[in-house]
Amino acid sequence: MTDGARWYVVHTQPQNEARAEAHLRRQGFTTYLPRYLRSRRHARKTETVARPLFPRYVFVAVDVA
């Protein structure tokens, strides 16, 4: 990332934050998607999943120059 880059927020479709981040990274952008771990229980099984801290949002660094 260069010094002239500024951070912007990208609004995504519901539950597609990871897909949007992958597409932006593939295009060469620097992205930030903060996540937290959450326990989910279903059918007597407990699993830990990573959920986005800010649902429907991804941060992107863009150099407008």
Side-chain angles (χ1 to χ4, degrees), residues 3-61:
D3 294 326
R6 299 186 69 175
W7 287 94
Y8 293 93
V9 177
V10 176
H11 191 245
T12 66
Q13 293 181 348
Q15 300 179 358
N16 282 319
E17 300 89 357
R19 179 183 292 176
E21 181 191 23
H23 287 303
L24 288 166
R25 282 186 184 264
R26 195 173 324 135
Q27 294 175 34
F29 292 101
T30 303
T31 61
Y32 177 62
L33 178 59
R35 298 178 181 159
Y36 68 97
L37 296 178
R38 180 176 181 178
S39 295
R40 181 171 67 179
R41 185 175 168 174
H42 179 70
R44 296 186 184 182
K45 294 181 183 178
T46 302
E47 62 181 346
T48 303
V49 294
R51 301 295 303 159
L53 188 59
F54 304 108
R56 298 182 73 170
Y57 294 102
V58 176
F59 299 93
V60 181

Side-chain angles (χ1 to χ4, degrees), residues 2 4-6 8 62-65:
T2 61
R6 299 186 69 175
Y8 293 93
V62 177
D63 188 2
V64 294

